[in-house]
Amino acid sequence: MELSGLILVLVFFALLAVNVPISFSIGLATLVTMLCSIDLIPAATTIAQRLAGGINSFALLAIPFFVLSGLIMGRGGIAKRLIECAMALIGMLPGGLALVNVLSCTLFGAISGSAVAATSAIGSFMIPQMEKKGYDRNFSAALTGAAATTGMLIPPSNILIIYAIASGGVSIAALFVAGYLPGILVALSLMLVCAGYAKLKGYPTEARLPLKVVVEKVLAAVPSLLLIFIVIGGIIGGVFTATEAGAIAVIYSLILSVFVYKEVSQSQLPEILLKAAETTAIVMLLIGASSAMSWILSYENIPQTISDFLMTLSENPFLILLIINLTLIIIGAFMDMTPAVLIFTPIFLPVATQLGMSPLHFGIMIVLNLSIGLCSPPVGSVLFVSCAVAKTTIEKIIKPLMPLYLAMFIVLMLVTYIPELSEFLPKLFGLY
């Protein structure tokens, strides 16, 4: 087992080091590891079966729907209206533009379900605006990247659906509701850093708008915000499943973007559909390849071995959970969220449950943890988008990113050790 695990890790990271796409790195590492135990034909057949079986899930049908609705809304003028709404509500506070950035990224990330889309859509407008008001460009880029990750916790979130599959049946509805408080806490912690940073640097506040203008801006954003309430309200109320909610989100976003806001023309729809298909294919290939790796991990009894090893390190649950979190943070800095959730959930979830942590609680913890990885160098995809928008480099935004990173880590510790932050709302609505 030790040899198989070592071969798996070495081959995987060696392939990543030479820029082999992560899905192929996962699949090839799995194949090489299998060849240590079985012949080529059975190994290749097993991988093919696991690739197909890994995506053979009704719950995964929600992903292409939410991807498509997010792309439509990303083109549909949603970002502009959310920014104007946030500006009207909190622009006059200390560090107003920075706070607007956080709130806009949070709302747009929740609506689109994509941290990368939130970074691009919000950052392309807010980073230049913040720079005009005297904000440091590198701080603005770091803030946009960090704030965009909150959409991974606030539904609709594709990564929560993937965790539900990987965990073996945690309710998607419960996970969706459980993500609200931690997501809001992350946003508030980033806002506190922004307020302190603005006070320290002496950044100006925005002028207070007349009440009539505030009401107009808020009302203009209401149709966009309604998507969150329609999706989560329908799921909580048992009106439709998460998959059906995805289809409804597509219909709603089409009506809103094409016929209400009129920001998306019918001629643009084929391009959007093609992009949605491309993104879905990438995600599904990652899921299939990760399922194959999860199988070989289970076949070689690696999760149980790691679980036993962690339990022998200490009898202190606080310390073991801290080790798991630090390990996941390192993993998140090098690996995309989807394969990380699919591969490491079967490894660490048994340890967490032995310590008395519920699968629901662990799910929120691992998604929040890996969300931090999205804005962590060297591989954080959100950082690359943010730097591209701000026309800066990752090296330059690391310093202003540190206080934001610390704030997110503190929230991660709170979520890890206070189960009620994840479980209160699902229990309140009778979902858990």
Side-chain angles (χ1 to χ4, degrees), residues 210-261:
L211 180 60
K212 181 182 177 181
V213 176
V214 172
V215 172
E216 287 176 356
K217 298 298 184 184
V218 172
L219 289 177
V222 165
S224 304
L225 296 173
L226 272 178
L227 177 65
I228 300 174
F229 294 100
I230 291 171
V231 169
I232 200 64
I235 293 174
I236 292 174
V239 179
F240 40 72
T241 65
T243 302
E244 292 164 343
I248 290 168
V250 170
I251 295 170
Y252 184 82
S253 60
L254 269 174
I255 294 171
L256 194 63
S257 300
V258 177
F259 300 106
V260 178
Y261 291 157

mmCIF file of all heavy atoms in Angstrom, residues 210-261:
data_model
loop_
_atom_site.group_PDB
_atom_site.id
_atom_site.type_symbol
_atom_site.label_atom_id
_atom_site.label_comp_id
_atom_site.label_asym_id
_atom_site.label_seq_id
_atom_site.Cartn_x
_atom_site.Cartn_y
_atom_site.Cartn_z
ATOM 1 N N PRO A 210 -29.106 60.406 -2.501
ATOM 2 C CA PRO A 210 -30.473 60.666 -2.022
ATOM 3 C C PRO A 210 -31.261 59.357 -1.908
ATOM 4 O O PRO A 210 -31.018 58.400 -2.653
ATOM 5 C CB PRO A 210 -31.069 61.565 -3.125
ATOM 6 C CG PRO A 210 -29.887 62.144 -3.831
ATOM 7 C CD PRO A 210 -28.801 61.127 -3.750
ATOM 8 N N LEU A 211 -32.206 59.335 -0.975
ATOM 9 C CA LEU A 211 -32.978 58.124 -0.720
ATOM 10 C C LEU A 211 -33.675 57.621 -1.982
ATOM 11 O O LEU A 211 -33.733 56.410 -2.230
ATOM 12 C CB LEU A 211 -34.018 58.398 0.376
ATOM 13 C CG LEU A 211 -34.915 57.209 0.760
ATOM 14 C CD1 LEU A 211 -34.068 56.051 1.275
ATOM 15 C CD2 LEU A 211 -35.950 57.640 1.806
ATOM 16 N N LYS A 212 -34.165 58.533 -2.793
ATOM 17 C CA LYS A 212 -34.864 58.143 -4.019
ATOM 18 C C LYS A 212 -33.931 57.364 -4.952
ATOM 19 O O LYS A 212 -34.328 56.339 -5.539
ATOM 20 C CB LYS A 212 -35.397 59.389 -4.735
ATOM 21 C CG LYS A 212 -36.157 59.082 -6.019
ATOM 22 C CD LYS A 212 -36.621 60.364 -6.706
ATOM 23 C CE LYS A 212 -37.325 60.047 -8.022
ATOM 24 N NZ LYS A 212 -37.769 61.271 -8.731
ATOM 25 N N VAL A 213 -32.687 57.828 -5.073
ATOM 26 C CA VAL A 213 -31.718 57.159 -5.940
ATOM 27 C C VAL A 213 -31.357 55.779 -5.379
ATOM 28 O O VAL A 213 -31.238 54.798 -6.123
ATOM 29 C CB VAL A 213 -30.451 58.022 -6.105
ATOM 30 C CG1 VAL A 213 -29.402 57.280 -6.930
ATOM 31 C CG2 VAL A 213 -30.793 59.354 -6.738
ATOM 32 N N VAL A 214 -31.205 55.716 -4.043
ATOM 33 C CA VAL A 214 -30.893 54.439 -3.399
ATOM 34 C C VAL A 214 -31.984 53.417 -3.696
ATOM 35 O O VAL A 214 -31.710 52.273 -4.075
ATOM 36 C CB VAL A 214 -30.744 54.617 -1.865
ATOM 37 C CG1 VAL A 214 -30.623 53.253 -1.185
ATOM 38 C CG2 VAL A 214 -29.531 55.477 -1.551
ATOM 39 N N VAL A 215 -33.238 53.840 -3.550
ATOM 40 C CA VAL A 215 -34.375 52.944 -3.810
ATOM 41 C C VAL A 215 -34.370 52.492 -5.273
ATOM 42 O O VAL A 215 -34.594 51.312 -5.570
ATOM 43 C CB VAL A 215 -35.709 53.637 -3.456
ATOM 44 C CG1 VAL A 215 -36.899 52.785 -3.906
ATOM 45 C CG2 VAL A 215 -35.783 53.902 -1.958
ATOM 46 N N GLU A 216 -34.083 53.394 -6.186
ATOM 47 C CA GLU A 216 -34.050 53.049 -7.614
ATOM 48 C C GLU A 216 -32.969 52.007 -7.915
ATOM 49 O O GLU A 216 -33.202 51.044 -8.661
ATOM 50 C CB GLU A 216 -33.800 54.318 -8.444
ATOM 51 C CG GLU A 216 -34.989 55.269 -8.517
ATOM 52 C CD GLU A 216 -34.644 56.547 -9.265
ATOM 53 O OE1 GLU A 216 -33.462 56.707 -9.646
ATOM 54 O OE2 GLU A 216 -35.552 57.382 -9.472
ATOM 55 N N LYS A 217 -31.785 52.205 -7.324
ATOM 56 C CA LYS A 217 -30.683 51.274 -7.580
ATOM 57 C C LYS A 217 -30.977 49.892 -7.000
ATOM 58 O O LYS A 217 -30.656 48.859 -7.610
ATOM 59 C CB LYS A 217 -29.383 51.817 -6.970
ATOM 60 C CG LYS A 217 -28.916 53.150 -7.553
ATOM 61 C CD LYS A 217 -28.607 53.052 -9.034
ATOM 62 C CE LYS A 217 -28.053 54.365 -9.579
ATOM 63 N NZ LYS A 217 -27.835 54.321 -11.054
ATOM 64 N N VAL A 218 -31.569 49.889 -5.810
ATOM 65 C CA VAL A 218 -31.909 48.604 -5.175
ATOM 66 C C VAL A 218 -32.976 47.878 -5.981
ATOM 67 O O VAL A 218 -32.870 46.676 -6.243
ATOM 68 C CB VAL A 218 -32.364 48.819 -3.720
ATOM 69 C CG1 VAL A 218 -32.908 47.512 -3.125
ATOM 70 C CG2 VAL A 218 -31.214 49.346 -2.868
ATOM 71 N N LEU A 219 -34.002 48.597 -6.390
ATOM 72 C CA LEU A 219 -35.075 47.983 -7.171
ATOM 73 C C LEU A 219 -34.570 47.444 -8.509
ATOM 74 O O LEU A 219 -35.034 46.405 -8.990
ATOM 75 C CB LEU A 219 -36.206 48.990 -7.407
ATOM 76 C CG LEU A 219 -37.052 49.357 -6.179
ATOM 77 C CD1 LEU A 219 -38.086 50.418 -6.540
ATOM 78 C CD2 LEU A 219 -37.741 48.126 -5.607
ATOM 79 N N ALA A 220 -33.597 48.144 -9.096
ATOM 80 C CA ALA A 220 -33.040 47.688 -10.371
ATOM 81 C C ALA A 220 -32.298 46.357 -10.218
ATOM 82 O O ALA A 220 -32.217 45.563 -11.168
ATOM 83 C CB ALA A 220 -32.099 48.742 -10.938
ATOM 84 N N ALA A 221 -31.757 46.118 -9.015
ATOM 85 C CA ALA A 221 -31.006 44.884 -8.769
ATOM 86 C C ALA A 221 -31.888 43.748 -8.265
ATOM 87 O O ALA A 221 -31.449 42.591 -8.246
ATOM 88 C CB ALA A 221 -29.893 45.147 -7.757
ATOM 89 N N VAL A 222 -33.107 44.059 -7.838
ATOM 90 C CA VAL A 222 -33.993 43.036 -7.261
ATOM 91 C C VAL A 222 -34.228 41.850 -8.197
ATOM 92 O O VAL A 222 -34.154 40.692 -7.775
ATOM 93 C CB VAL A 222 -35.325 43.661 -6.801
ATOM 94 C CG1 VAL A 222 -36.386 42.586 -6.559
ATOM 95 C CG2 VAL A 222 -35.111 44.475 -5.534
ATOM 96 N N PRO A 223 -34.523 42.078 -9.494
ATOM 97 C CA PRO A 223 -34.728 40.913 -10.381
ATOM 98 C C PRO A 223 -33.534 39.959 -10.407
ATOM 99 O O PRO A 223 -33.714 38.741 -10.481
ATOM 100 C CB PRO A 223 -34.953 41.555 -11.758
ATOM 101 C CG PRO A 223 -35.490 42.918 -11.458
ATOM 102 C CD PRO A 223 -34.779 43.355 -10.216
ATOM 103 N N SER A 224 -32.325 40.498 -10.341
ATOM 104 C CA SER A 224 -31.138 39.641 -10.317
ATOM 105 C C SER A 224 -31.053 38.860 -9.010
ATOM 106 O O SER A 224 -30.780 37.657 -9.002
ATOM 107 C CB SER A 224 -29.872 40.489 -10.483
ATOM 108 O OG SER A 224 -29.918 41.262 -11.653
ATOM 109 N N LEU A 225 -31.294 39.550 -7.905
ATOM 110 C CA LEU A 225 -31.202 38.914 -6.588
ATOM 111 C C LEU A 225 -32.300 37.876 -6.375
ATOM 112 O O LEU A 225 -32.137 36.954 -5.572
ATOM 113 C CB LEU A 225 -31.264 39.978 -5.488
ATOM 114 C CG LEU A 225 -30.106 40.975 -5.480
ATOM 115 C CD1 LEU A 225 -30.364 42.079 -4.449
ATOM 116 C CD2 LEU A 225 -28.790 40.274 -5.162
ATOM 117 N N LEU A 226 -33.395 38.026 -7.092
ATOM 118 C CA LEU A 226 -34.497 37.085 -6.938
ATOM 119 C C LEU A 226 -34.108 35.660 -7.292
ATOM 120 O O LEU A 226 -34.694 34.701 -6.785
ATOM 121 C CB LEU A 226 -35.691 37.509 -7.805
ATOM 122 C CG LEU A 226 -36.701 38.471 -7.179
ATOM 123 C CD1 LEU A 226 -37.787 38.825 -8.178
ATOM 124 C CD2 LEU A 226 -37.308 37.869 -5.920
ATOM 125 N N LEU A 227 -33.110 35.507 -8.159
ATOM 126 C CA LEU A 227 -32.686 34.163 -8.551
ATOM 127 C C LEU A 227 -32.271 33.352 -7.330
ATOM 128 O O LEU A 227 -32.612 32.167 -7.209
ATOM 129 C CB LEU A 227 -31.524 34.228 -9.541
ATOM 130 C CG LEU A 227 -30.947 32.863 -9.953
ATOM 131 C CD1 LEU A 227 -31.980 32.059 -10.717
ATOM 132 C CD2 LEU A 227 -29.686 33.027 -10.781
ATOM 133 N N ILE A 228 -31.529 33.988 -6.402
ATOM 134 C CA ILE A 228 -31.080 33.292 -5.196
ATOM 135 C C ILE A 228 -32.289 32.798 -4.406
ATOM 136 O O ILE A 228 -32.344 31.639 -3.965
ATOM 137 C CB ILE A 228 -30.214 34.212 -4.314
ATOM 138 C CG1 ILE A 228 -28.976 34.674 -5.086
ATOM 139 C CG2 ILE A 228 -29.803 33.508 -3.028
ATOM 140 C CD1 ILE A 228 -28.141 35.692 -4.351
ATOM 141 N N PHE A 229 -33.286 33.665 -4.238
ATOM 142 C CA PHE A 229 -34.455 33.303 -3.439
ATOM 143 C C PHE A 229 -35.315 32.258 -4.148
ATOM 144 O O PHE A 229 -35.877 31.368 -3.509
ATOM 145 C CB PHE A 229 -35.284 34.558 -3.146
ATOM 146 C CG PHE A 229 -34.572 35.551 -2.272
ATOM 147 C CD1 PHE A 229 -33.952 36.664 -2.814
ATOM 148 C CD2 PHE A 229 -34.485 35.359 -0.908
ATOM 149 C CE1 PHE A 229 -33.281 37.581 -2.021
ATOM 150 C CE2 PHE A 229 -33.820 36.262 -0.093
ATOM 151 C CZ PHE A 229 -33.215 37.374 -0.649
ATOM 152 N N ILE A 230 -35.398 32.349 -5.467
ATOM 153 C CA ILE A 230 -36.180 31.365 -6.218
ATOM 154 C C ILE A 230 -35.547 29.981 -6.089
ATOM 155 O O ILE A 230 -36.226 28.987 -5.790
ATOM 156 C CB ILE A 230 -36.290 31.771 -7.704
ATOM 157 C CG1 ILE A 230 -37.174 33.013 -7.850
ATOM 158 C CG2 ILE A 230 -36.852 30.620 -8.543
ATOM 159 C CD1 ILE A 230 -37.169 33.604 -9.251
ATOM 160 N N VAL A 231 -34.237 29.912 -6.295
ATOM 161 C CA VAL A 231 -33.542 28.628 -6.251
ATOM 162 C C VAL A 231 -33.590 28.020 -4.857
ATOM 163 O O VAL A 231 -34.044 26.888 -4.659
ATOM 164 C CB VAL A 231 -32.079 28.795 -6.721
ATOM 165 C CG1 VAL A 231 -31.273 27.530 -6.425
ATOM 166 C CG2 VAL A 231 -32.037 29.093 -8.210
ATOM 167 N N ILE A 232 -33.117 28.773 -3.864
ATOM 168 C CA ILE A 232 -33.024 28.198 -2.523
ATOM 169 C C ILE A 232 -34.406 28.039 -1.898
ATOM 170 O O ILE A 232 -34.668 27.072 -1.176
ATOM 171 C CB ILE A 232 -32.093 29.050 -1.619
ATOM 172 C CG1 ILE A 232 -31.611 28.231 -0.427
ATOM 173 C CG2 ILE A 232 -32.765 30.307 -1.155
ATOM 174 C CD1 ILE A 232 -30.751 27.058 -0.786
ATOM 175 N N GLY A 233 -35.315 28.979 -2.186
ATOM 176 C CA GLY A 233 -36.670 28.865 -1.648
ATOM 177 C C GLY A 233 -37.389 27.651 -2.193
ATOM 178 O O GLY A 233 -38.078 26.927 -1.452
ATOM 179 N N GLY A 234 -37.237 27.395 -3.493
ATOM 180 C CA GLY A 234 -37.876 26.227 -4.098
ATOM 181 C C GLY A 234 -37.325 24.927 -3.565
ATOM 182 O O GLY A 234 -38.069 23.960 -3.341
ATOM 183 N N ILE A 235 -35.997 24.879 -3.329
ATOM 184 C CA ILE A 235 -35.377 23.659 -2.808
ATOM 185 C C ILE A 235 -35.805 23.402 -1.367
ATOM 186 O O ILE A 235 -36.190 22.291 -0.991
ATOM 187 C CB ILE A 235 -33.839 23.746 -2.912
ATOM 188 C CG1 ILE A 235 -33.409 23.753 -4.381
ATOM 189 C CG2 ILE A 235 -33.181 22.584 -2.182
ATOM 190 C CD1 ILE A 235 -31.930 23.987 -4.593
ATOM 191 N N ILE A 236 -35.758 24.469 -0.531
ATOM 192 C CA ILE A 236 -36.156 24.322 0.874
ATOM 193 C C ILE A 236 -37.626 23.932 0.988
ATOM 194 O O ILE A 236 -38.013 23.080 1.797
ATOM 195 C CB ILE A 236 -35.893 25.630 1.652
ATOM 196 C CG1 ILE A 236 -34.388 25.874 1.778
ATOM 197 C CG2 ILE A 236 -36.531 25.580 3.044
ATOM 198 C CD1 ILE A 236 -34.044 27.208 2.402
ATOM 199 N N GLY A 237 -38.438 24.556 0.155
ATOM 200 C CA GLY A 237 -39.876 24.283 0.209
ATOM 201 C C GLY A 237 -40.278 22.965 -0.425
ATOM 202 O O GLY A 237 -41.454 22.591 -0.406
ATOM 203 N N GLY A 238 -39.319 22.252 -1.006
ATOM 204 C CA GLY A 238 -39.625 20.977 -1.624
ATOM 205 C C GLY A 238 -40.372 21.104 -2.946
ATOM 206 O O GLY A 238 -40.951 20.133 -3.440
ATOM 207 N N VAL A 239 -40.342 22.296 -3.541
ATOM 208 C CA VAL A 239 -41.045 22.521 -4.801
ATOM 209 C C VAL A 239 -40.292 21.843 -5.953
ATOM 210 O O VAL A 239 -40.908 21.292 -6.867
ATOM 211 C CB VAL A 239 -41.198 24.030 -5.088
ATOM 212 C CG1 VAL A 239 -41.912 24.258 -6.413
ATOM 213 C CG2 VAL A 239 -41.934 24.707 -3.949
ATOM 214 N N PHE A 240 -38.943 21.881 -5.897
ATOM 215 C CA PHE A 240 -38.150 21.227 -6.922
ATOM 216 C C PHE A 240 -36.806 20.793 -6.352
ATOM 217 O O PHE A 240 -36.393 21.257 -5.277
ATOM 218 C CB PHE A 240 -37.938 22.118 -8.153
ATOM 219 C CG PHE A 240 -37.680 23.568 -7.853
ATOM 220 C CD1 PHE A 240 -36.483 23.983 -7.304
ATOM 221 C CD2 PHE A 240 -38.647 24.531 -8.130
ATOM 222 C CE1 PHE A 240 -36.239 25.317 -7.035
ATOM 223 C CE2 PHE A 240 -38.415 25.872 -7.877
ATOM 224 C CZ PHE A 240 -37.207 26.269 -7.326
ATOM 225 N N THR A 241 -36.142 19.885 -7.055
ATOM 226 C CA THR A 241 -34.823 19.410 -6.638
ATOM 227 C C THR A 241 -33.751 20.395 -7.093
ATOM 228 O O THR A 241 -34.032 21.345 -7.826
ATOM 229 C CB THR A 241 -34.525 18.041 -7.264
ATOM 230 O OG1 THR A 241 -34.438 18.197 -8.694
ATOM 231 C CG2 THR A 241 -35.608 17.028 -6.929
ATOM 232 N N ALA A 242 -32.504 20.136 -6.677
ATOM 233 C CA ALA A 242 -31.398 21.005 -7.091
ATOM 234 C C ALA A 242 -31.222 20.978 -8.605
ATOM 235 O O ALA A 242 -30.931 22.005 -9.225
ATOM 236 C CB ALA A 242 -30.107 20.562 -6.395
ATOM 237 N N THR A 243 -31.414 19.815 -9.214
ATOM 238 C CA THR A 243 -31.292 19.706 -10.666
ATOM 239 C C THR A 243 -32.377 20.516 -11.364
ATOM 240 O O THR A 243 -32.122 21.258 -12.322
ATOM 241 C CB THR A 243 -31.375 18.236 -11.099
ATOM 242 O OG1 THR A 243 -30.330 17.501 -10.447
ATOM 243 C CG2 THR A 243 -31.219 18.095 -12.604
ATOM 244 N N GLU A 244 -33.604 20.384 -10.879
ATOM 245 C CA GLU A 244 -34.710 21.157 -11.452
ATOM 246 C C GLU A 244 -34.505 22.644 -11.211
ATOM 247 O O GLU A 244 -34.849 23.479 -12.058
ATOM 248 C CB GLU A 244 -36.033 20.684 -10.849
ATOM 249 C CG GLU A 244 -36.405 19.265 -11.270
ATOM 250 C CD GLU A 244 -37.477 18.648 -10.403
ATOM 251 O OE1 GLU A 244 -37.727 19.159 -9.287
ATOM 252 O OE2 GLU A 244 -38.065 17.639 -10.818
ATOM 253 N N ALA A 245 -33.905 22.976 -10.058
ATOM 254 C CA ALA A 245 -33.611 24.382 -9.762
ATOM 255 C C ALA A 245 -32.630 24.951 -10.778
ATOM 256 O O ALA A 245 -32.728 26.114 -11.175
ATOM 257 C CB ALA A 245 -33.033 24.513 -8.355
ATOM 258 N N GLY A 246 -31.669 24.127 -11.230
ATOM 259 C CA GLY A 246 -30.734 24.575 -12.247
ATOM 260 C C GLY A 246 -31.431 24.911 -13.552
ATOM 261 O O GLY A 246 -31.119 25.914 -14.202
ATOM 262 N N ALA A 247 -32.384 24.062 -13.951
ATOM 263 C CA ALA A 247 -33.139 24.325 -15.181
ATOM 264 C C ALA A 247 -33.965 25.601 -15.053
ATOM 265 O O ALA A 247 -34.038 26.413 -15.996
ATOM 266 C CB ALA A 247 -34.050 23.141 -15.488
ATOM 267 N N ILE A 248 -34.559 25.800 -13.891
ATOM 268 C CA ILE A 248 -35.340 27.019 -13.651
ATOM 269 C C ILE A 248 -34.430 28.247 -13.679
ATOM 270 O O ILE A 248 -34.807 29.308 -14.191
ATOM 271 C CB ILE A 248 -36.090 26.911 -12.303
ATOM 272 C CG1 ILE A 248 -37.211 25.867 -12.429
ATOM 273 C CG2 ILE A 248 -36.663 28.253 -11.860
ATOM 274 C CD1 ILE A 248 -37.829 25.461 -11.123
ATOM 275 N N ALA A 249 -33.220 28.102 -13.143
ATOM 276 C CA ALA A 249 -32.261 29.212 -13.158
ATOM 277 C C ALA A 249 -31.902 29.606 -14.593
ATOM 278 O O ALA A 249 -31.748 30.791 -14.904
ATOM 279 C CB ALA A 249 -31.000 28.821 -12.390
ATOM 280 N N VAL A 250 -31.774 28.621 -15.487
ATOM 281 C CA VAL A 250 -31.479 28.902 -16.891
ATOM 282 C C VAL A 250 -32.629 29.692 -17.523
ATOM 283 O O VAL A 250 -32.410 30.710 -18.196
ATOM 284 C CB VAL A 250 -31.237 27.599 -17.680
ATOM 285 C CG1 VAL A 250 -31.166 27.887 -19.181
ATOM 286 C CG2 VAL A 250 -29.949 26.934 -17.214
ATOM 287 N N ILE A 251 -33.850 29.230 -17.301
ATOM 288 C CA ILE A 251 -35.022 29.907 -17.881
ATOM 289 C C ILE A 251 -35.122 31.334 -17.347
ATOM 290 O O ILE A 251 -35.328 32.294 -18.104
ATOM 291 C CB ILE A 251 -36.312 29.120 -17.559
ATOM 292 C CG1 ILE A 251 -36.270 27.753 -18.259
ATOM 293 C CG2 ILE A 251 -37.547 29.900 -17.997
ATOM 294 C CD1 ILE A 251 -37.371 26.813 -17.822
ATOM 295 N N TYR A 252 -34.930 31.483 -16.038
ATOM 296 C CA TYR A 252 -35.048 32.810 -15.417
ATOM 297 C C TYR A 252 -33.960 33.747 -15.945
ATOM 298 O O TYR A 252 -34.222 34.916 -16.271
ATOM 299 C CB TYR A 252 -34.945 32.679 -13.900
ATOM 300 C CG TYR A 252 -35.149 33.986 -13.166
ATOM 301 C CD1 TYR A 252 -36.428 34.468 -12.898
ATOM 302 C CD2 TYR A 252 -34.063 34.754 -12.748
ATOM 303 C CE1 TYR A 252 -36.614 35.668 -12.243
ATOM 304 C CE2 TYR A 252 -34.237 35.950 -12.089
ATOM 305 C CZ TYR A 252 -35.526 36.403 -11.836
ATOM 306 O OH TYR A 252 -35.713 37.597 -11.188
ATOM 307 N N SER A 253 -32.718 33.247 -16.026
ATOM 308 C CA SER A 253 -31.616 34.093 -16.490
ATOM 309 C C SER A 253 -31.798 34.478 -17.954
ATOM 310 O O SER A 253 -31.447 35.591 -18.358
ATOM 311 C CB SER A 253 -30.273 33.387 -16.285
ATOM 312 O OG SER A 253 -30.221 32.172 -16.999
ATOM 313 N N LEU A 254 -32.362 33.576 -18.764
ATOM 314 C CA LEU A 254 -32.645 33.898 -20.161
ATOM 315 C C LEU A 254 -33.672 35.023 -20.270
ATOM 316 O O LEU A 254 -33.478 35.995 -21.012
ATOM 317 C CB LEU A 254 -33.170 32.652 -20.886
ATOM 318 C CG LEU A 254 -32.149 31.753 -21.579
ATOM 319 C CD1 LEU A 254 -32.837 30.499 -22.107
ATOM 320 C CD2 LEU A 254 -31.433 32.492 -22.693
ATOM 321 N N ILE A 255 -34.750 34.885 -19.531
ATOM 322 C CA ILE A 255 -35.805 35.913 -19.565
ATOM 323 C C ILE A 255 -35.241 37.259 -19.112
ATOM 324 O O ILE A 255 -35.477 38.305 -19.739
ATOM 325 C CB ILE A 255 -36.995 35.502 -18.674
ATOM 326 C CG1 ILE A 255 -37.678 34.263 -19.275
ATOM 327 C CG2 ILE A 255 -37.992 36.646 -18.521
ATOM 328 C CD1 ILE A 255 -38.727 33.654 -18.367
ATOM 329 N N LEU A 256 -34.469 37.221 -18.023
ATOM 330 C CA LEU A 256 -33.932 38.452 -17.446
ATOM 331 C C LEU A 256 -32.928 39.126 -18.375
ATOM 332 O O LEU A 256 -33.005 40.337 -18.626
ATOM 333 C CB LEU A 256 -33.277 38.134 -16.100
ATOM 334 C CG LEU A 256 -32.943 39.316 -15.183
ATOM 335 C CD1 LEU A 256 -34.216 40.030 -14.766
ATOM 336 C CD2 LEU A 256 -32.190 38.829 -13.946
ATOM 337 N N SER A 257 -31.990 38.350 -18.906
ATOM 338 C CA SER A 257 -30.900 38.924 -19.696
ATOM 339 C C SER A 257 -31.308 39.280 -21.120
ATOM 340 O O SER A 257 -30.816 40.258 -21.685
ATOM 341 C CB SER A 257 -29.718 37.940 -19.732
ATOM 342 O OG SER A 257 -29.243 37.686 -18.434
ATOM 343 N N VAL A 258 -32.202 38.480 -21.714
ATOM 344 C CA VAL A 258 -32.581 38.690 -23.108
ATOM 345 C C VAL A 258 -33.764 39.640 -23.251
ATOM 346 O O VAL A 258 -33.758 40.549 -24.086
ATOM 347 C CB VAL A 258 -32.898 37.341 -23.801
ATOM 348 C CG1 VAL A 258 -33.371 37.565 -25.246
ATOM 349 C CG2 VAL A 258 -31.671 36.434 -23.781
ATOM 350 N N PHE A 259 -34.782 39.465 -22.396
ATOM 351 C CA PHE A 259 -36.025 40.201 -22.587
ATOM 352 C C PHE A 259 -36.224 41.376 -21.624
ATOM 353 O O PHE A 259 -36.902 42.338 -21.964
ATOM 354 C CB PHE A 259 -37.225 39.248 -22.473
ATOM 355 C CG PHE A 259 -37.197 38.139 -23.484
ATOM 356 C CD1 PHE A 259 -36.877 36.845 -23.109
ATOM 357 C CD2 PHE A 259 -37.452 38.398 -24.818
ATOM 358 C CE1 PHE A 259 -36.838 35.815 -24.044
ATOM 359 C CE2 PHE A 259 -37.424 37.381 -25.765
ATOM 360 C CZ PHE A 259 -37.112 36.084 -25.380
ATOM 361 N N VAL A 260 -35.650 41.287 -20.408
ATOM 362 C CA VAL A 260 -35.839 42.370 -19.424
ATOM 363 C C VAL A 260 -34.695 43.381 -19.529
ATOM 364 O O VAL A 260 -34.910 44.555 -19.841
ATOM 365 C CB VAL A 260 -35.944 41.805 -17.995
ATOM 366 C CG1 VAL A 260 -36.093 42.954 -16.984
ATOM 367 C CG2 VAL A 260 -37.123 40.854 -17.882
ATOM 368 N N TYR A 261 -33.471 42.932 -19.278
ATOM 369 C CA TYR A 261 -32.324 43.835 -19.353
ATOM 370 C C TYR A 261 -31.876 44.074 -20.801
ATOM 371 O O TYR A 261 -31.235 45.073 -21.093
ATOM 372 C CB TYR A 261 -31.149 43.275 -18.553
ATOM 373 C CG TYR A 261 -31.358 43.270 -17.056
ATOM 374 C CD1 TYR A 261 -30.646 42.395 -16.237
ATOM 375 C CD2 TYR A 261 -32.258 44.146 -16.446
ATOM 376 C CE1 TYR A 261 -30.812 42.388 -14.855
ATOM 377 C CE2 TYR A 261 -32.435 44.139 -15.075
ATOM 378 C CZ TYR A 261 -31.720 43.260 -14.283
ATOM 379 O OH TYR A 261 -31.887 43.249 -12.932
#
